[in-house]
Amino acid sequence: MSLHLHQSHPKRRGFSLIELLVAIAVMAVLLLLITVAVGSIRKKGRAVECTAKLKAIGVGLASYIQDKGYYPGVRVDPTPRSWYHGLIPYMTGEPMPLTAAERARVRDWYWCKERDIGQARTVGYGYNQYFGNIPPGSSDYNPTSGFNKYWRLRPTRVESPSEKIVIGDNHDAEAQSSFALAVLHNGSSADNYLRARRHNGGGNYLFADGHVEFISAREMSERLKVDDKRILKPYVD
């Protein structure tokens, strides 16, 4: 009588539907976390890049002041050429642009990648109008403007340069016209809280002494409430 030995083999067990769904959910969460992390790194990188650009602009601004003896206005002449056109010779060695097409060209050093208006490259920073108004002779010059007394402001008039903002980030909501693109918003504290928050809830600002500082929109709002815009005004009236 022969005996047949039967070997038992473990049954191969596949993934159940629930296990498969759980695995897909885990992978989706991991993908989301990776995407968020990469986006955050890119945002921080752009903020650092803007800090570096503002520091470079500060060097160009200092050269302009040393050459002219005063701060540029929001516009440097009635052409109209803006403050950033006036800095071009000191940033690149090129002459100031003459034609409208040349003036419309946005140079890399004043373009912030966080400012995206209609997916078009545009001016990334605004100039504090308290440091220089629109020049006399411009079509939109206002002889009764309170900013006129700051035209051709000399650096010796600036009180506490380390505390006075000259150039900085402007939120896109402020950019409703070509003029607003190039001017640092200096309205109410509520306006600044809503608008000056380009980089992670705040903005980068170049001060009169050349240093660059990040200020949150909330902090900017609070400063404007307590000091009557002294962070923006070059000297106390």
Side-chain angles (χ1 to χ4, degrees):
M1 182 176 178
S2 61
L3 298 173
H4 296 280
L5 300 176
H6 296 279
Q7 294 181 346
S8 61
H9 297 280
K11 292 182 179 180
R12 292 184 177 177
R13 180 174 173 271
F15 288 106
S16 68
L17 178 60
I18 294 177
E19 290 173 328
L20 186 60
L21 291 174
V22 170
I24 292 173
V26 169
M27 287 188 289
V29 171
L30 289 175
L31 181 60
L32 177 62
L33 291 174
I34 291 171
T35 302
V36 171
V38 170
S40 178
I41 291 171
R42 286 177 178 172
K43 275 186 169 291
K44 289 180 180 178
R46 288 194 289 267
V48 170
E49 181 181 15
C50 274
T51 299
K53 286 181 178 180
L54 276 174
K55 288 181 179 178
I57 291 172
V59 174
L61 179 64
S63 297
Y64 180 101
I65 295 169
Q66 185 176 17
D67 183 34
K68 303 286 187 180
Y70 50 80
Y71 281 87
V74 171
R75 293 181 184 150
V76 294
D77 56 36
T79 305
R81 289 184 287 200
S82 297
W83 62 270
Y84 48 90
H85 297 133
L87 295 189
I88 286 176
Y90 305 94
M91 299 289 295
T92 67
E94 303 171 12
M96 278 200 293
L98 296 175
T99 66
E102 290 174 342
R103 291 196 299 271
R105 178 187 171 194
V106 178
R107 309 298 181 104
D108 183 70
W109 52 270
Y110 60 76
W111 172 52
C112 173
K113 294 178 182 178
E114 281 293 310
R115 165 167 277 181
D116 182 10
I117 301 175
Q119 297 182 339
R121 176 183 278 213
T122 186
V123 179
Y125 310 100
Y127 189 82
N128 179 3
Q129 196 170 359
Y130 283 111
F131 272 75
N133 192 28
I134 300 169
S138 299
S139 59
D140 53 353
Y141 173 75
N142 181 357
T144 62
S145 170
F147 294 110
N148 289 340
K149 63 182 174 183
Y150 303 108
W151 175 245
R152 293 195 170 175
L153 173 72
R154 294 192 174 276
T156 53
R157 294 296 310 275
V158 180
E159 299 174 349
S160 304
S162 63
E163 301 173 4
K164 308 295 182 178
I165 293 174
V166 184
I167 300 169
D169 287 331
N170 229 5
H171 192 260
D172 292 347
E174 173 64 7
Q176 300 298 324
S177 69
S178 58
F179 179 73
L181 284 172
V183 182
L184 184 66
H185 182 65
N186 49 41
S188 70
S189 57
D191 290 335
N192 278 277
Y193 175 69
L194 291 172
R195 294 171 176 173
R197 54 182 184 184
R198 184 180 302 169
H199 294 290
N200 297 318
N204 292 314
Y205 298 92
L206 171 70
F207 286 74
D209 68 342
H211 87 277
V212 175
E213 184 179 335
F214 176 85
I215 303 176
S216 71
R218 186 178 296 278
E219 182 182 352
M220 176 67 82
S221 177
E222 293 301 316
R223 288 195 193 187
L224 291 171
K225 285 179 183 177
V226 300
D227 67 4
D228 190 29
K229 301 181 186 177
R230 291 186 185 180
I231 192 173
L232 297 173
K233 292 182 178 179
Y235 54 85
V236 179
D237 296 331

